[in-house]
Amino acid sequence: MATQVSDLRDRAEVWRAAAREQDNGETVYEYAFQKTIWAAVTPTSGRAESLEGGATRAELTHRVVVREASLPDICREMYFVVRGLRLDVSYWLPIYSRRGWMEIFCTAHEGEVTADGT
């Protein structure tokens, strides 16, 4: 478990849904880059599921450990980009044995992430 600053070896881009008003007055939510933080990213589990037509879907879960001070406003409407892999936030927990640290569990989004975060 990463609980020292030297364990944070991955650069993670933080993207968050932000409200934007269109010309017609409607409010739409688009993901916008928020900041880059240091994190420790570890794959934790995975499963494969067979679909109709011979297709297969895989779901991978990752654990992202960060300092609470680097991400004080965490929410489910954000995701991380680490080495071109999009990690959608599922839930998070504080690490009770080490104050100031947080575990964020994410689901990997299939495919490479483009420059605009999609």
Side-chain angles (χ1 to χ4, degrees):
M1 177 184 305
T3 55
Q4 294 182 352
V5 176
S6 62
D7 295 334
L8 305 179
R9 295 191 173 115
D10 300 304
R11 295 291 283 166
E13 293 180 0
V14 180
W15 291 74
R16 184 181 189 141
R20 183 179 66 84
E21 190 169 320
Q22 291 183 334
D23 296 335
N24 62 2
E26 288 186 24
T27 302
V28 295
Y29 290 88
E30 295 179 346
Y31 284 100
F33 175 77
Q34 191 174 8
K35 61 181 169 180
T36 303
I37 61 172
W38 287 101
V41 180
T42 309
T44 56
S45 68
R47 68 182 180 105
E49 178 181 2
S50 296
L51 302 175
E52 292 181 20
T56 304
R57 176 176 55 200
E59 183 178 295
L60 299 171
T61 305
H62 288 72
R63 181 173 59 112
V64 179
V65 177
V66 298
R67 293 177 58 222
E68 286 181 356
S70 66
L71 201 58
D73 56 345
I74 188 164
C75 63
R76 292 202 59 215
E77 290 78 30
M78 65 175 37
Y79 67 85
F80 302 106
V81 177
V82 179
R83 297 184 196 150
L85 181 65
R86 176 177 166 166
L87 301 173
D88 294 325
V89 174
S90 298
Y91 62 96
W92 58 93
L93 301 166
I95 300 175
Y96 293 109
S97 62
R98 297 284 296 186
R99 285 184 35 192
W101 293 85
M102 180 179 3
E103 287 181 315
I104 306 165
F105 291 89
C106 303
T107 304
H109 194 76
E110 182 121 4
E112 288 290 316
V113 178
T114 59
D116 65 349
T118 57

